[in-house]
C-alpha cells in the first residue's frame, strides 16, 4: 500500500509565526511594564517602611539621651534640649528632631521660630508605644518615627518625633530603578526568544498553514467527511481513532470511538484486522452481519514523519448482491441453452421416428422423455415439502448435470412444507451445493463419476444440512481459515466474487448459535446444524436473502 504523502504549500512562510511573535511581544511588553510599575510601588513602600524604622531608631536614641530626660522632667537647662536634638539631627541627616512635652509644646525644632509653640496634632505616645508613619510637617513630607520620652524617674514626660525627608526616599528609589529596569528588559528579551521559538514550533506543527487556512480546512473536512457515502476512519501514530465520519459509524457499528483504540470498540476478528493493517493488500473484503465491506488502509506521512493512517470503508453489499444475481442469471441461461439443445435433439429423434413410420416407437419415446423430466422433481418432493427448496434443488441438479456432476438427495432427508430457518436454509444449501459442484467439476472425473450427496434433515432439536462431494477436498490445516472472508482456492469467475459464500454460511449459522464444520482431505464434507426453535430473524441484506436457483459463491 503506497503511503499518502502530504505536501503543504509554503506560501506566506513567516506570516503565522510573525503574527504570533508580535502578539506575544506586545503581551510581554505590557506585562513587563505593569510588573515594573507594581515593583516600583512595592519598592517605594518598602523604602518608606525602612526609612520610618530608621526615623524611629533616631527618635528612640534621642529619647534615651540623659540630658534631654533630665531637662524635660525637672526643667531648667536652658536650650539643652534644642542643642542636643539639633546635634542628633545633623549627625543622622534627619529632616527634624522635635521634642514635645505632654502639653504638646515643642522644646526643639529645626525652625527656631517654632520653639515653644504647640503642635497641631495630639500626642500619639500616650499609650507608651512607639509609632511610625508619614508626616506632612513644616519641613515637608517625611518618613516619621515617634518614641515616648521618659524622665529619670521613669515617668512619661513627652515624645520625640523624628522625620527623614521624602527626597531621600525618592532618591534611593531612583537609584534602584535602573537595576529593576535592566532585570525587566532581560526577562522581556528571554520571553521574546521563547515566544519566537514557540512560534516556529507552532508553524511546524501546523505544516506552514495560516490560521484562516486551518479554519477553512476544518470546515471543508467536516463537510466532506459527513457528506460522502464512504466510511472514513483516521488513526494517529499510537493507533487511536482521531476521525470517524457518520458512514463509518453506520457500517462498522462504532459509537463514541474518538480517542479510543480499535480493540476497545471492536471485537477480535477479520474486520478489526483489516482496519488495523494486520491484513495486507488492497480492497480487503470483510463480511459483517449486514454488510459486505471493502476496506483499504493507507499510512500517512509528511516530510518523512509518520502521522498515522487513514482507512476507507465502502459498502459493496448491493453491488455484490447484483453481481451474484447476474452470475446466477448467466448460469440459468447456460442451463436453458443446454436444455434447449437437448430438447432439440429429442424433437429431431421423435420427428425421425414419425417420418419412418415408427409410430409406436415414437409414442413410447415421447412418454419416456416426459416421465424422465418429472422423475427428478417427484424424487425431490418425496423428501422435501417446501416448494422453494424443491425448486432450488431441482435447478441446482439440472445445472450440475450440464457440468457433468450428479447431485443426489439422500434417502434420510426430510423437510416440512414450512420449515424453520427457511431463508437461512436456502442460502446455506445453495452456497454449499455451488461450492461442491464447482470443486467436483474442476478436476479429473473420479471413479464412478462426479457426485455430490446432499442431506437435509429436520429433527426435533435441530436442522442438519450435509453436503459431501468426491472432489479434491480441503487441504490439511485450512479447515479453520476456509470460513474467513475472501478465502478461496480459485480465481474469480466473471462477475462473481469468490471467498464470500462459505463466510456467509458460517456467519448465518454462528449468528443463530449453530455449528458448521468441514472435513479435511479428499472428498470434502460440510455439515451445518441450526438449533430449534428459530427465534432469531435472518439478516435481510442483499447477500443473505438471495435464494436464486442458479449461482452462489465458489470456493
Amino acid at each position: 500500500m503506497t503511503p499518502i504523502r502530504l505536501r503543504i504549500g509554503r506560501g506566506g512562510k513567516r506570516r503565522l509565526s510573525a503574527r504570533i511573535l508580535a502578539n506575544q511581544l506586545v503581551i510581554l511588553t505590557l506585562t513587563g511594564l505593569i510588573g515594573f510599575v507594581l515593583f516600583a510601588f512595592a519598592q517605594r513602600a518598602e523604602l518608606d517602611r525602612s526609612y520610618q524604622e530608621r526615623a524611629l531608631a533616631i527618635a528612640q536614641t534621642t529619647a534615651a539621651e540623659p540630658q534631654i530626660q533630665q531637662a524635660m522632667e525637672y526643667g531648667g537647662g536652658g536650650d539643652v534640649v534644642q542643642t542636643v536634638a539639633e546635634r542628633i539631627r545633623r549627625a543622622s541627616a534627619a529632616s527634624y528632631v522635635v521634642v514635645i512635652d505632654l502639653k504638646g509644646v515643642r522644646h526643639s525644632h529645626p525652625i527656631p521660630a517654632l520653639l515653644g509653640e504647640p503642635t497641631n496634632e495630639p500626642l500619639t505616645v500616650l499609650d507608651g508605644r512607639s509609632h511610625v508613619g508619614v508626616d506632612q510637617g513644616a519641613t515637608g513630607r517625611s518618613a516619621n518615627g515617634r518614641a515616648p520620652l521618659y524622665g529619670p524617674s521613669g515617668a512619661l514626660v513627652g515624645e520625640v518625633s523624628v522625620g527623614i525627608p521624602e527626597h531621600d526616599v525618592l532618591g534611593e528609589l531612583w537609584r534602584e530603578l535602573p537595576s529593576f529596569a535592566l532585570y525587566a528588559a532581560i526577562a522581556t528579551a528571554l520571553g521574546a526568544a521563547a515566544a519566537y521559538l514557540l512560534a516556529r514550533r507552532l508553524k511546524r506543527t501546523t505544516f506552514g498553514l495560516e490560521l484562516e487556512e486551518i479554519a477553512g480546512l476544518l470546515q471543508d473536512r467536516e463537510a466532506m467527511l459527513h457528506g460522502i457515502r464512504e466510511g472514513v476512519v483516521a488513526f494517529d501514530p499510537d493507533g487511536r481513532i482521531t476521525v470517524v465520519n457518520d458512514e463509518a459509524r453506520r457500517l462498522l457499528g462504532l459509537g463514541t470511538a474518538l480517542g479510543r483504540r480499535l480493540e476497545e470498540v471492536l471485537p477480535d476478528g477479520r474486520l478489526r484486522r483489516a482496519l488495523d493493517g494486520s491484513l495486507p493488500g488492497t480492497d480487503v473484503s470483510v463480511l459483517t452481519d449486514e454488510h459486505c465491506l471493502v476496506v483499504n488502509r493507507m499510512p500517512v506521512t509528511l516530510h518523512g514523519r509518520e502521522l498515522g493512517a487513514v482507512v476507507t470503508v465502502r459498502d459493496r453489499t448491493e453491488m455484490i448482491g447484483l453481481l451474484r444475481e447476474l452470475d446466477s442469471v448467466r448460469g440459468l441461461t447456460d442451463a436453458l441453452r443446454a436444455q434447449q439443445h437437448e430438447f432439440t435433439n429429442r424433437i429431431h429423434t421423435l420427428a425421425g421416428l414419425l417420418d419412418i413410420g415408427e409410430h409406436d416407437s415414437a409414442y413410447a419415446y415421447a412418454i419416456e422423455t416426459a416421465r424422465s423430466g418429472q422423475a427428478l422433481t417427484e424424487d425431490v418432493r418425496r423428501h422435501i415439502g417446501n416448494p422453494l427448496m424443491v425448486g432450488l434443488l431441482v435447478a441446482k441438479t439440472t445445472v450440475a448435470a450440464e457440468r457433468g456432476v450428479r447431485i443426489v438427495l439422500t434417502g434420510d432427508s426430510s423437510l416440512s412444507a414450512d420449515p424453520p430457518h427457511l431463508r437461512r436454509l436456502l442460502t446455506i444449501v445453495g452456497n454449499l451445493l455451488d461450492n461442491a459442484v464447482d470443486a467436483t467439476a474442476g478436476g479429473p472425473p473420479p471413479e464412478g463419476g462426479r457426485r455430490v450427496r446432499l442431506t437435509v434433515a429436520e429433527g426435533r432439536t435441530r436442522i442438519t444440512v450435509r453436503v459431501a462431494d468426491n472432489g479434491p477436498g480441503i487441504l490439511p490445516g485450512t479447515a479453520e481459515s476456509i470460513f474467513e472472508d475472501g478465502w478461496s482456492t480459485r480465481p474469480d469467475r466473471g462477475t462473481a466474487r469468490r471467498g464470500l459464500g462459505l463466510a456467509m454460511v458460517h456467519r448465518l449459522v454462528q449468528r443463530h448459535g449453530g455449528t458448521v464444520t468441514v472435513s479435511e482431505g479428499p472428498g470434502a464434507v460440510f455439515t451445518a446444524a441450526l438449533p430449534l426453535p428459530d427465534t432469531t430473524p435472518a439478516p435481510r441484506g442483499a447477500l443473505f436473502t438471495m435464494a436464486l436457483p442458479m449461482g452462489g459463491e465458489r470456493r
Side-chain angles (χ1 to χ4, degrees):
M1 181 69 66
T2 303
I4 298 177
R5 291 181 172 84
L6 300 179
R7 294 178 175 85
I8 304 299
R10 305 301 294 178
K13 180 177 179 180
R14 296 186 178 276
R15 289 178 56 195
L16 178 60
S17 58
R19 290 162 62 182
I20 296 176
L21 180 60
N23 290 332
Q24 290 183 332
L25 285 178
V26 171
I27 295 174
L28 286 172
T29 303
L30 290 178
T31 54
L33 289 175
I34 293 173
F36 178 77
V37 172
L38 293 177
F39 188 81
F41 276 105
Q43 189 64 19
R44 167 65 185 273
E46 182 64 26
L47 288 175
D48 282 340
R49 286 192 295 272
S50 175
Y51 275 80
Q52 288 168 4
E53 294 295 332
R54 178 181 170 187
L56 179 60
I58 297 173
Q60 291 173 341
T61 300
T62 305
E65 280 290 330
Q67 292 177 322
I68 294 179
Q69 293 177 352
Q70 180 76 24
M72 290 299 296
E73 183 175 4
Y74 300 116
D79 56 355
V80 172
V81 174
Q82 172 71 359
T83 302
V84 175
E86 283 299 300
R87 176 170 53 83
I88 295 175
R89 181 185 69 82
R90 288 190 294 269
S92 61
S95 176
Y96 59 83
V97 177
V98 179
V99 179
I100 307 171
D101 60 20
L102 295 178
K103 297 179 180 180
V105 178
R106 300 183 182 94
H107 291 261
S108 68
H109 200 280
I111 302 176
L114 295 179
L115 289 173
E117 297 293 330
T119 62
N120 297 325
E121 300 176 357
L123 298 181
T124 60
V125 297
L126 296 178
D127 56 0
R129 294 183 299 174
S130 300
H131 296 271
V132 295
V134 177
D135 179 45
Q136 294 286 351
T139 60
R141 181 181 176 87
S142 303
N144 179 254
R146 301 188 181 193
L149 177 62
Y150 296 94
S153 63
L156 180 66
V157 295
E159 74 173 15
V160 177
S161 177
V162 176
I164 297 178
E166 180 72 12
H167 60 78
D168 289 351
V169 180
L170 293 177
E172 183 69 20
L173 179 62
W174 282 110
R175 285 191 295 273
E176 294 182 1
L177 285 181
S179 299
F180 301 153
L182 177 61
Y183 298 151
I186 294 174
T188 303
L190 293 176
Y196 175 74
L197 295 177
L198 177 61
R200 291 191 58 184
R201 175 165 181 163
L202 290 177
K203 188 72 173 180
R204 290 194 303 268
T205 303
T206 57
F207 307 115
L209 294 175
E210 302 299 330
L211 296 177
E212 295 80 4
E213 295 173 333
I214 295 174
L217 285 177
L218 178 61
Q219 296 174 353
D220 294 342
R221 190 200 74 166
E222 292 300 314
M224 177 189 68
L225 287 178
H226 298 287
I228 61 176
R229 297 296 298 172
E230 186 171 283
V232 178
V233 184
F235 300 91
D236 63 11
D238 296 328
R240 298 188 179 276
I241 299 175
T242 56
V243 174
V244 55
N245 67 346
D246 297 336
E247 186 68 3
R249 295 180 190 273
R250 182 183 72 86
L251 296 176
L252 304 177
L254 298 177
T256 305
L258 292 178
R260 304 173 67 184
R261 297 181 179 274
L262 274 177
E263 55 268 24
E264 300 176 8
V265 296
L266 287 178
D268 187 22
R270 181 176 174 84
L271 177 59
R272 197 173 86 183
R273 294 197 299 273
L275 293 176
D276 64 16
S278 300
L279 294 179
T282 60
D283 292 338
V284 178
S285 297
V286 178
L287 194 66
T288 66
D289 288 341
E290 299 179 355
H291 306 285
C292 178
L293 305 178
V294 176
V295 180
N296 283 285
R297 179 184 172 95
M298 293 157 285
V300 180
T301 60
L302 178 64
H303 305 314
R305 183 175 52 169
E306 295 290 336
L307 300 181
V310 174
V311 175
T312 58
V313 182
R314 287 174 288 166
D315 186 6
R316 301 293 297 274
T317 306
E318 294 184 1
M319 181 178 294
I320 295 297
L322 291 175
L323 292 176
R324 285 164 52 84
E325 184 175 356
L326 177 60
D327 189 64
S328 299
V329 173
R330 287 182 176 179
L332 179 61
T333 303
D334 294 339
L336 291 176
R337 186 180 297 110
Q339 289 178 352
Q340 180 187 8
H341 181 71
E342 182 181 357
F343 181 75
T344 301
N345 292 334
R346 291 178 180 179
I347 291 297
H348 288 164
T349 302
L350 184 61
L353 290 174
L354 293 175
D355 188 54
I356 63 177
E358 295 289 338
H359 298 90
D360 293 339
S361 298
Y363 178 76
Y365 179 74
I367 294 299
E368 181 184 356
T369 302
R371 288 178 177 176
S372 64
Q374 296 178 352
L376 174 61
T377 303
E378 293 301 327
D379 182 65
V380 174
R381 283 186 179 275
R382 283 197 299 268
H383 302 279
I384 306 299
N386 183 265
L388 291 177
M389 184 63 73
V390 172
L392 175 67
L393 296 182
V394 171
K396 294 291 185 184
T397 302
T398 303
V399 174
E402 297 300 329
R403 301 182 64 186
V405 180
R406 182 186 176 195
I407 296 180
V408 178
L409 184 65
T410 61
D412 57 345
S413 297
S414 63
L415 191 67
S416 62
D418 187 19
H421 302 291
L422 176 60
R423 289 169 50 215
R424 291 189 182 91
L425 287 174
L426 293 172
T427 301
I428 293 171
V429 171
N431 279 282
L432 291 181
L433 284 179
D434 283 337
N435 276 277
V437 170
D438 194 37
T440 306
E447 184 179 354
R450 300 181 178 93
R451 186 177 64 256
V452 175
R453 296 176 59 85
L454 169 65
T455 302
V456 181
E458 180 181 355
R460 291 185 177 181
T461 60
R462 64 179 181 174
I463 297 178
T464 303
V465 176
R466 182 178 295 105
V467 177
D469 62 65
N470 58 355
I474 305 300
L475 296 176
T478 61
E480 294 184 0
S481 59
I482 192 174
F483 295 107
E484 289 189 356
D485 313 349
W487 190 95
S488 178
T489 59
R490 295 176 178 268
D492 296 339
R493 192 193 71 171
T495 57
R497 301 294 298 176
R498 299 185 183 275
L500 294 179
L502 292 179
M504 211 187 316
V505 170
H506 183 265
R507 186 170 293 274
L508 281 173
V509 174
Q510 291 287 332
R511 186 175 183 182
H512 192 66
T515 59
V516 56
T517 59
V518 60
S519 65
E520 296 181 352
V525 178
F526 286 86
T527 304
L530 292 170
L532 297 178
D534 180 8
T535 57
T536 305
R540 294 185 176 272
L543 290 175
F544 298 99
T545 57
M546 290 192 58
L548 296 176
M550 305 293 129
E553 295 301 314
R554 310 294 197 267
R555 64 175 175 229

